[in-house]
Amino acid sequence: MKQTRIMLESFAGIPLPGWDVLTPSYQLRHFGKSENIFTVGEWQPYVYVVRSGIVKLTYLSESGEEWIKSFISEGDFFACPNVLITGLTTDYFATAVDACDIEQVDYAAINQLTEQYPVWQRAIRQLLAQHIVRKEQRERELLTMAPEARYQSFLKTYPTIAARIQLRDVAHYLGVTPEALSRIRKRIASD
């Protein structure tokens, strides 16, 4: 539970009590390249923290086209709010881009700790605040920026990820075709 603890205690600003409550629900899981962590329609009441590797979170359009909503790398987390908040099922895919080790913790156990300890509430509030800011930035970029500016923002925001993923995935994240991304990259290189 090393990475989960590092992440949550950094959000709390101090060591957190009660880790023994999480131990029974904790799993360290390994996923091979391109393996699904979860798919659409599943009930996954967990918070996932990436220990190693990269995960992509993906929607499929009605025509089966892939749209990448985000990439999650080492030390970062993901969860499906549809499941945690509303009790519904997942509405996107979580897939290992490369081999991944992922810490999985049952959200109910985390919630139990937030009921017992105010410092856990602070940690989760900070975690959610980071998630909200990240989502707002992504929404703003998609709605207000040209593809070239979105690509430059991607390179700035995810410098370590950009070199480790396929250009096709970058294009699907930016909402452009791989061919359009190739043209964008050529324009940037010639500037």
Side-chain angles (χ1 to χ4, degrees), residues 152-173:
Q152 290 174 327
S153 177
F154 171 78
L155 293 175
K156 182 179 174 185
T157 305
Y158 297 110
T160 59
I161 293 177
R164 295 168 54 195
I165 58 176
Q166 295 179 9
L167 290 177
R168 178 184 56 84
D169 281 345
V170 175
H172 289 161
Y173 175 80

Side-chain angles (χ1 to χ4, degrees), residues 3-144:
Q3 198 65 49
T4 301
R5 188 173 194 148
I6 290 169
M7 181 189 70
L8 289 172
E9 289 184 345
S10 74
F11 284 128
I14 60 172
L16 293 168
W19 285 100
D20 56 315
V21 171
L22 296 183
T23 303
S25 72
Y26 169 82
Q27 287 185 36
L28 176 60
R29 300 182 62 198
H30 180 78
F31 295 90
K33 180 179 180 175
S34 302
E35 189 176 350
N36 284 328
I37 296 144
F38 59 75
T39 62
V40 172
E42 294 182 3
W43 193 66
Q44 293 285 326
Y46 308 108
V47 173
Y48 300 92
V49 178
V50 179
R51 185 183 277 190
S52 65
I54 299 172
V55 174
K56 65 179 177 178
L57 306 180
T58 308
Y59 290 110
L60 287 183
S61 69
E62 289 180 2
S63 65
E65 190 173 357
E66 182 179 70
W67 292 95
I68 297 175
K69 68 184 232 129
S70 57
F71 294 102
I72 312 299
S73 64
E74 292 88 357
D76 209 349
F77 74 96
F78 64 99
C80 188
N82 257 0
V83 177
L84 303 184
I85 297 168
T86 66
L88 297 175
T89 58
T90 55
D91 55 0
Y92 58 86
F93 294 82
T95 307
V97 172
D98 52 11
C100 292
D101 286 323
I102 298 177
E103 297 180 6
Q104 174 184 302
V105 180
D106 192 318
Y107 179 70
I110 293 172
N111 202 37
Q112 178 183 342
L113 288 167
T114 64
E115 297 291 327
Q116 288 180 300
Y117 303 104
V119 69
W120 273 88
Q121 293 173 19
R122 180 178 18 175
I124 299 305
R125 268 195 318 272
Q126 291 301 315
L127 178 134
L128 292 174
Q130 179 193 36
H131 183 69
I132 290 166
V133 167
R134 187 169 48 194
K135 291 301 192 183
E136 184 173 338
Q137 177 184 345
R138 174 87 168 117
E139 183 179 285
R140 180 184 52 77
E141 289 175 358
L142 284 171
L143 295 174
T144 66

